[in-house]
Amino acid sequence: MFQLLKPGHTIPFMRLALPSTIFSCVLILLSIFTIATKGFNWGLDFTGGTIAELKFSKPADLDVVRSALTKQGLEGAVVQYYGSTKDVVIRIAPKGELTQQKITDGVQKGASEIDSSVNLSRIEYVGPSVGEELANQGFLAILAALGCILVYVALRFEWRMATGAVMSLAHDILITLAVFSWTQMEFDLNVLAAVLTVVGYSLNDTIVVFDRVRENARRIRNETMRNIIDISMTETLSRTLITSGTTLITVIALFWKGGPMIHGFSTALLIGIGFGTYSSIYVASAWAMYLKMSREDLMPKTVEKEGEEERYEP
């Protein structure tokens, strides 16, 4: 396996555990404050709005269509192709000063400036695809998922590790949401999907680290838990950097060249993956260390049966 470091060299990750924990606590408090005070710029999936379908006589440039709509006072419209480059669908979030007639007139006038032969095939108001009840159920589902992760990691590893894993996931989710709240970028179903992807990615990274910590705790004797964590982090560093690096290259490409339709999706992944790698070290593992996890806690339990010699339970 490719190694970035020479064998026998250990990076003292836990030397920065305390300042990193203080840094993470400050970030979490700022994130909660930002979300509570600024809220989110909900997309059409959550708010509903007006949808219009246009058929151009020639391939349409989406950026030109957006600019034309902005000139008509329809800022923030979601413009995308459907079917072909001549067919364009426009979604406009509801605003207090915009009536259905103003939206219709603005869409027709803006499109006519681009193509005089454009045909407005449909325009109507649509309700939100994610209602308040469904949003609440989704929030409860995330809490239930975190609870199941807590139980799973506790059974597979140890309850202190389980607590650290859940703290790490909450850390990544809160920071990602806070960035969207602070910048007021549109929060739609694509962003929600990216946030859930971040949860899975971060958990996978944490499980890999925890697995190596448990293995080394059983293999290495006469070492403190702090040193065992440092050794485990160093041994998995190559895997972490290669995996995260290749993923980030793809996400950066989407962020840079993916266009406005997936800008929120790629932004959420970019933030989540970056902080997910950080939290696997300085949130999940550090939290388990603060809870006084020891080598004995990770040793296999012994099982005694009558008529049999004492053996280890795998």
Side-chain angles (χ1 to χ4, degrees), residues 277-304:
T277 303
Y278 159 82
S279 66
S280 296
I281 300 173
Y282 288 114
V283 178
S285 300
W287 188 260
M289 183 183 70
Y290 290 146
L291 292 176
K292 306 299 182 182
M293 183 178 67
S294 63
R295 290 183 62 255
E296 289 73 19
D297 295 323
L298 300 178
M299 297 300 290
K301 297 179 181 179
T302 57
V303 178
E304 295 184 3

Side-chain angles (χ1 to χ4, degrees), residues 111-126:
S112 297
E113 292 178 356
I114 302 172
D115 183 356
S116 58
S117 301
V118 67
N119 177 37
L120 179 61
S121 54
R122 180 170 74 99
I123 184 166
E124 62 182 16
Y125 176 79
V126 294

Side-chain angles (χ1 to χ4, degrees), residues 261-273:
M261 289 306 302
I262 61 171
H263 184 69
F265 177 83
S266 57
T267 300
L269 286 180
L270 195 62
I271 299 167
I273 290 174

Side-chain angles (χ1 to χ4, degrees), residues 85-270:
T85 56
K86 296 182 180 180
D87 300 312
V88 175
V89 61
I90 300 171
R91 295 182 175 87
I92 302 172
K95 294 182 180 179
E97 69 278 7
L98 289 179
T99 63
Q100 187 72 17
Q101 187 60 45
K102 287 183 178 179
I103 294 175
T104 303
D105 294 342
V107 170
Q108 288 180 329
K109 187 175 180 180
S112 297
E113 292 178 356
I114 302 172
D115 183 356
S116 58
S117 301
V118 67
N119 177 37
L120 179 61
S121 54
R122 180 170 74 99
I123 184 166
E124 62 182 16
Y125 176 79
V126 294
S129 58
V130 181
E132 182 179 354
E133 181 180 357
L134 187 57
N136 291 335
Q137 291 177 349
F139 175 73
L140 294 175
I142 292 177
L143 291 181
L146 291 177
C148 291
I149 291 171
L150 180 68
V151 174
Y152 165 73
V153 179
L155 292 176
R156 180 175 175 181
F157 296 100
E158 211 267 343
W159 71 266
R160 296 171 183 84
M161 285 184 166
T163 306
V166 172
M167 290 284 291
S168 172
L169 294 179
H171 172 276
D172 300 339
I173 293 173
L174 273 174
I175 292 176
T176 303
L177 294 178
V179 171
F180 277 84
S181 177
W182 176 260
T183 60
Q184 287 296 290
M185 292 177 59
E186 187 176 276
F187 192 100
D188 54 18
L189 287 181
N190 290 332
V191 176
L192 180 60
V195 172
L196 296 177
T197 303
V198 167
V199 172
Y201 188 93
S202 179
L203 178 63
N204 176 70
D205 208 26
T206 302
I207 291 297
V208 170
V209 173
F210 281 173
D211 202 41
R212 184 57 62 91
V213 170
R214 180 178 62 177
E215 177 185 331
N216 285 334
R218 297 176 178 182
R219 180 177 60 87
I220 302 175
R221 300 181 182 276
N222 301 323
E223 285 285 357
T224 63
M225 200 66 225
R226 182 191 186 100
N227 291 338
I228 290 175
I229 292 176
D230 284 339
I231 293 171
S232 302
M233 294 293 181
T234 303
E235 291 176 348
T236 58
L237 181 63
S238 297
R239 177 264 174 202
T240 299
L241 292 179
I242 292 172
T243 304
S244 300
T246 52
T247 306
L248 283 175
I249 289 174
T250 305
V251 174
I252 291 172
L254 291 175
F255 179 82
W256 185 28
K257 292 292 186 180
M261 289 306 302
I262 61 171
H263 184 69
F265 177 83
S266 57
T267 300
L269 286 180
L270 195 62

